[in-house]
């Protein structure tokens, strides 16, 4: 087994075609087919169902694809990192993000402050919405923006607190709840509410959601997969959204966010593996992120 075989297999699966895989790898179709057949012979398992026009994975192929993808991605990241160290004094740093409105506001400030300070960090952002902790554990990212609840159960992960978590209500600006300074649980009774799916990687308010459901039942509650869908429903006047403050879009002019009278929830911050030993880089990132967040909060409160 070798990386050429793995790359041929992955490229064929990604494109559902040996022919397209060959074109994109600048190989002949026969070379791609032979590499994949040699891979199957080495493993002793059929990975791909071959059809006349398209291909599909066997059950073993589906499992092997996930493993092979991680192996090849890890190697590519490693090679890129080593090449950057050889050819450039910059330090490559991969940061996992979920593309929340907060990150869209804070991260440009973070990059600007790094540039102003003359930093030699080469920052690469990696979108990790569906598997934040997995991307960190698999070393696809060096640091990850995440809620602490997601890493508490993993012994090998460290966490640096950036923002204290709080439950807020997303309200249309002209709605009755938007006029309040703080919203109570009783204020939400018989209101149409949108909650984040409990399986969402961004959902750190499970305890509150359970209390809310126990208090008012499910008649007026719907679940959405992410904060973007929630914002659409709120903007459309279909109800109120319940979410953590660190994924709220405070720059939006057509949504107001009002805190709920509830204790603080899991904070938001930066997670990293204990094996991450570059303390000076970590300190630079945390310090600069805190400065960016402070500036963002000042702008938000103006």
């Amino acid at each position: 087994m070798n990386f050429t075989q793995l790359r041929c297999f992955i490229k064929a699966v990604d494109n559902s075609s040996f022919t397209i895989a060959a074109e994109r790898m600048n190989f002949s179709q026969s070379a791609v087919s032979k590499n994949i057949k040699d891979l199957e012979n080495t493993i002793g398992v059929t990975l791909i169902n071959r059809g006349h026009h398209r291909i599909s994975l066997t059950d073993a192929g589906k499992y092997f694809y996930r493993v092979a993808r991680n192996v090849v991605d890890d190697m590519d990241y490693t090679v890129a990192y080593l090449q950057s160290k050889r050819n450039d004094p910059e330090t490559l740093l991969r940061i996992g993000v979920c593309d929340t409105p907060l990150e869209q506001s804070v991260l440009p400030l973070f990059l600007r402050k790094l540039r102003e300070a003359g930093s030699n960090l080469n920052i690469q952002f990696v979108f990790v919405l569906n598997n934040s902790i997995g991307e960190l554990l698999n070393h696809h990212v060096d640091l990850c923006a995440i809620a602490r609840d997601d890493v508490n159960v993993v012994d090998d992960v460290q966490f640096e607190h950036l923002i204290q978590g709080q439950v807020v209500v997303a309200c249309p600006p002209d709605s009755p709840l938007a006029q309040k300074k703080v919203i109570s649980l009783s204020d939400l009774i018989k209101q149409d509410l949108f909650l984040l799916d409990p399986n969402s990687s961004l959902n750190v308010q499970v305890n509150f959601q359970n209390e809310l459901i126990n208090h008012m039942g499910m008649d007026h509650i719907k679940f959405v997969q992410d904060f973007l869908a929630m914002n659409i429903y709120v903007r459309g006047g279909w109800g109120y959204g319940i979410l953590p403050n660190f994924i709220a879009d405070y720059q939006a002019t057509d949504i107001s966010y009002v805190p709920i009278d509830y204790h603080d929830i899991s904070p938001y911050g930066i997670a990293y593996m204990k094996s991450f030993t570059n303390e000076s880089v970590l300190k630079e990132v945390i310090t600069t992120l805190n400065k960016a967040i402070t500036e963002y909060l000042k702008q938000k409160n103006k």
Side-chain angles (χ1 to χ4, degrees), residues 148-220:
R148 189 177 62 195
D149 278 0
D150 291 336
V151 302
N152 277 349
V153 296
V154 185
D155 292 336
D156 292 335
V157 176
Q158 302 281 75
F159 181 83
E160 292 287 340
H161 177 136
L162 291 176
I163 297 175
Q164 180 54 56
Q166 184 181 37
V167 184
V168 297
V169 181
C171 311
D174 57 351
S175 63
L177 294 188
Q179 314 311 313
K180 293 180 171 288
K181 291 186 177 180
V182 178
I183 292 173
S184 67
L185 205 61
S186 60
D187 290 328
L188 300 175
I189 293 177
K190 295 185 179 181
Q191 301 287 352
D192 291 325
L193 303 178
F194 294 95
L195 308 183
L196 288 171
D197 188 301
N199 295 316
S200 167
S201 62
L202 286 174
N203 187 24
V204 295
Q205 54 190 19
V206 174
N207 290 337
F208 176 77
Q209 291 192 166
N210 289 339
E211 287 187 29
L212 190 62
I213 292 169
N214 291 335
H215 189 70
M216 59 183 292
M218 287 293 299
D219 290 345
H220 295 275

Side-chain angles (χ1 to χ4, degrees), residues 38-57:
D38 289 346
L39 177 62
E40 291 176 319
N41 290 337
T42 299
I43 300 172
V45 174
T46 299
L47 301 173
I48 291 179
N49 296 312
R50 285 130 172 109
H52 290 297
H53 300 291
R54 299 187 72 82
I55 63 175
S56 63
L57 288 172

